[in-house]
Amino acid sequence: MSLDGAELTWLGHASFILKTPGGKYIVLDPWLEGNPKCPKEFFGWNKADFILLTHGHFDHMGSAAHLAQLTGAPVISNFEIATYLGTQGITKTVGMNKGGTVEFGDIKITMVYADHSSGITTNAGLIYGGEASGFVVTLENGLSIYDAGDTNVFGDMALIKNLYRPDVALLPIGGHFTMSPKEAAYAVGLLEPKVVIPMHYGTFEALTGSPDALKDLLAGSPTTVAVLDPGQQYR
Ligand code: NI
Ligand code: MN
């Protein structure tokens, strides 16, 4: 399946750059410097029109404040993370919650459920970061991309399918902190995307789930497993 003018670049772990058909850059869970899988040429990445954060863990928002300062792009996240970033000098934030949609022209960004935690590590210790979420991004060309964030599989992924018909699903498969391939394969059954792109694996030793295991479990499924290398684009 083609993204019909959109380009999705994986930066390793859970970080993606989504270039929309209209030329906007949506950066999902930016963790660049410090991310062992992020190619060095992206460390200085400086294009963003919107920055989306699924939750407050460092491996998802590690580069968010820097990228927001560099680009002036609004950070879209749950209310608690937006409020926290406000205390860190990031003033352009959109604090929202699950079920909400924000629209920018023909782009729609909907926050959806995730089954995970969201504490923010600070110098003063761990602080409350609201609840973890996923996002469904609907592009100008009508394609919808579901970023599950960090999550276990949950039955209401069937609601996400019914409501948003995701064409592409970005699913964590590493296990330990999230789904492993077994749960992710079940998630694909609930979501029925045309394409699934595995993420959140191999970064740390504990994240042992492999794309090959997911492929094996989905043999015969109508969903294509698209495995990207860090820095590689899906179009
Ligand atoms: Ni997490
Ligand atoms: Mn994570």
Side-chain angles (χ1 to χ4, degrees):
M1 192 201 83
S2 143
L3 294 189
D4 197 15
E7 295 173 3
L8 184 67
T9 308
W10 189 41
L11 301 185
H13 203 60
S15 300
F16 289 88
I17 298 165
L18 174 59
K19 188 180 180 193
T20 77
K24 301 282 190 209
Y25 286 92
I26 300 174
V27 182
L28 301 150
D29 282 351
W31 184 40
L32 310 177
E33 275 194 75
N35 174 354
K37 295 290 178 184
C38 181
K40 283 192 178 58
E41 62 263 34
F42 287 98
F43 284 4
W45 182 259
N46 62 5
K47 293 190 203 114
D49 294 285
F50 311 104
I51 299 166
L52 273 53
L53 303 181
T54 60
H55 63 294
H57 291 161
F58 73 93
D59 56 318
H60 296 258
M61 59 180 268
S63 301
H66 179 68
L67 189 61
Q69 268 155 350
L70 212 57
T71 60
V75 178
I76 301 168
S77 68
N78 72 27
F79 175 79
E80 288 78 8
I81 293 169
T83 304
Y84 167 75
L85 288 173
T87 69
Q88 303 300 301
I90 306 301
T91 48
K92 270 176 88 175
T93 58
V94 180
M96 61 187 300
N97 221 317
K98 295 164 200 168
T101 297
V102 288
E103 297 190 29
F104 301 95
D106 291 327
I107 300 169
K108 294 192 185 82
I109 298 168
T110 301
M111 185 174 277
V112 297
Y113 185 80
D115 182 15
H116 191 67
S117 60
S118 184
I120 303 169
T121 305
T122 72
N123 291 335
L126 192 66
I127 64 172
Y128 180 64
E131 292 188 5
S133 67
F135 286 105
V136 176
V137 179
T138 307
L139 299 174
E140 300 97 323
N141 60 9
L143 280 183
S144 72
I145 296 175
Y146 167 49
D147 177 358
D150 280 2
T151 190
N152 187 11
V153 64
F154 52 90
D156 286 353
M157 284 180 175
L159 296 183
I160 293 174
K161 175 192 68 180
N162 290 341
L163 285 165
Y164 307 109
R165 305 279 163 193
D167 296 290
V168 178
L170 314 178
L171 299 185
I173 64 159
H176 194 78
F177 296 111
T178 69
M179 299 190 280
S180 69
K182 176 184 169 120
E183 291 81 11
Y186 195 90
V188 166
L190 295 172
L191 292 160
E192 297 179 356
K194 296 185 181 79
V195 175
V196 59
I197 297 177
M199 62 164 175
H200 212 277
Y201 63 89
T203 324
F204 316 116
E205 224 171 289
L207 308 191
T208 55
S210 76
D212 283 344
L214 182 67
K215 277 185 178 171
D216 287 349
L217 289 161
L218 291 176
S221 153
T223 298
T224 303
V225 182
V227 180
L228 302 180
D229 291 322
Q232 197 184 343
Q233 272 185 357
Y234 186 91
R235 291 179 220 201

